[in-house]
């Protein structure tokens, strides 16, 4: 069964304390991996697309990387405004193509 | 540019009552999605439209859920009758390049509470 698992479920950091979020997947026919940010009471907001192992994308304090089995979202010197839930999603071929989301990591950055 | 607009933002109903959600996608986006998000979980696809055609509705509980996208623009998602387990946030999203890029634009969602 196709599965996307994110860890940890929740992470609390001090401002400036760098860390990484993990997204592991067991899917067939992976076509791409995507990261989204979701603020409370809002819809997810697109961050990155990764298509192949070894690929990296950066945006401000965030960097996403991809291997054959997992992706990492590295956050460097985070600020309180980086607090949000970060969602990972994969696009797969399963008869019809579909986008499958993980359950998210709730990140809190304390000032 | 206006984003994806959804209404209502909040809805509280008694079980067995009907409810409908409306979505206006970003202008020019031909692909429209309805997702359901339970508390603490990621979104789950209910239905995907390419223009006015439903191309993936395999996850839509068809006994009580229905959706339509008239003229390939706005869309409505209906639940009749609602059950306690339907309490969730219903998210609408749209995209212009197709879902392959993974770049979906989401609305703020409609939060449904079934009592």
């Amino acid at each position: 069964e196709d599965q996307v698992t994110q860890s940890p479920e929740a992470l609390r950091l001090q401002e400036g304390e760098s860390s990484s979020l993990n997204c592991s997947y067991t899917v067939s026919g992976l076509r791409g991996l995507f990261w989204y940010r979701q603020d409370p009471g809002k819809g997810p907001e697109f961050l990155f697309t990764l298509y192949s192992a070894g690929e990296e994308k950066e945006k401000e304090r965030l960097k996403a990387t991809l291997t054959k089995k997992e992706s990492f979202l590295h956050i460097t010197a985070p600020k309180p405004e980086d607090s949000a839930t970060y969602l990972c999603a994969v696009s797969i071929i399963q008869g019809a193509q579909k986008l499958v989301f993980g359950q998210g990591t709730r990140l809190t950055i304390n000032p | 540019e206006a984003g994806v607009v959804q209404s209502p933002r909040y809805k509280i109903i008694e079980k067995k009552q009907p409810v409908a959600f409306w979505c206006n996608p970003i202008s020019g986006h031909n692909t429209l999605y309805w997702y359901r998000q339970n508390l603490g979980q990621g979104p789950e696809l209910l239905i995907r439209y390419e223009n006015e055609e439903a191309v993936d509705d395999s996850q839509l509980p068809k006994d009580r859920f229905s959706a339509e996208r008239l003229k390939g623009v706005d869309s409505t998602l209906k639940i009749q009758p609602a059950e306690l387990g339907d309490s969730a946030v219903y998210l609408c999203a749209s995209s212009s390049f197709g879902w392959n890029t993974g770049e979906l634009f989401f609305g703020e969602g409609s939060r449904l509470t079934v009592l």
Side-chain angles (χ1 to χ4, degrees):
Chain A
E1 182 183 337
D2 299 310
Q3 214 166 12
V4 180
T5 303
Q6 292 188 245
S7 61
E9 290 189 5
L11 180 63
R12 188 179 295 270
L13 301 171
Q14 289 298 122
E15 182 173 2
E17 182 183 0
S18 301
S19 188
S20 296
L21 313 182
N22 177 263
C23 171
S24 63
Y25 56 90
T26 52
V27 299
S28 55
L30 179 74
R31 295 178 64 87
L33 186 139
F34 318 101
W35 284 96
Y36 281 79
R37 169 190 171 129
Q38 186 172 26
D39 292 302
K42 304 288 187 181
E45 178 183 350
F46 174 80
L47 291 173
F48 303 111
T49 301
L50 300 166
Y51 288 112
S52 56
E55 190 174 357
E56 297 183 353
K57 293 279 180 69
E58 284 190 65
K59 181 179 181 179
E60 296 181 356
R61 294 175 293 282
L62 299 175
K63 182 169 79 172
T65 61
L66 181 65
T67 71
K68 288 186 177 180
K69 291 296 183 184
E70 58 191 348
S71 176
F72 292 94
L73 184 66
H74 308 278
I75 181 161
T76 303
K79 299 181 178 181
E81 54 262 42
D82 295 321
S83 297
T85 295
Y86 290 86
L87 295 163
C88 164
V90 298
S91 62
I92 61 175
I93 304 170
Q94 188 184 60
Q97 298 166 326
K98 58 189 296 184
L99 197 65
V100 179
F101 281 85
Q103 80 277 22
T105 292
R106 190 171 65 255
L107 177 65
T108 304
I109 308 298
N110 294 316
Chain B
E1 179 182 301
V4 176
V5 179
Q6 292 188 244
S7 68
R9 287 293 319 277
Y10 305 93
K11 190 73 175 180
I12 301 174
I13 61 173
E14 299 280 338
K15 63 180 181 182
K16 300 184 181 180
Q17 294 298 304
V19 63
F21 305 111
W22 175 81
C23 173
N24 177 239
I26 292 174
S27 178
H29 283 192
N30 63 325
T31 308
L32 184 146
Y33 316 74
W34 282 103
Y35 281 86
R36 177 168 60 188
Q37 186 172 26
N38 293 310
L39 189 64
Q41 300 297 313
E44 296 178 302
L45 180 69
L46 292 174
I47 189 167
R48 173 167 66 98
Y49 283 92
E50 296 289 346
N51 298 306
E52 59 273 359
E53 182 183 1
V55 296
D56 184 358
D57 63 355
S58 57
Q59 301 285 83
L60 190 72
K62 297 180 182 62
D63 57 337
R64 298 182 300 104
F65 286 65
S66 64
E68 61 181 8
R69 190 183 185 196
L70 299 176
K71 301 181 180 178
V73 182
D74 295 357
S75 179
T76 303
L77 177 70
K78 297 179 181 178
I79 308 174
Q80 182 171 13
E83 298 179 351
L84 295 177
D86 296 331
S87 294
V89 176
Y90 291 84
L91 293 163
C92 178
S94 69
S95 67
S96 60
F97 301 109
W99 64 274
N100 281 341
T101 67
E103 188 169 359
L104 276 57
F105 294 82
F106 283 86
E108 294 193 319
S110 294
R111 181 179 295 277
L112 173 65
T113 301
V114 182
L115 303 176

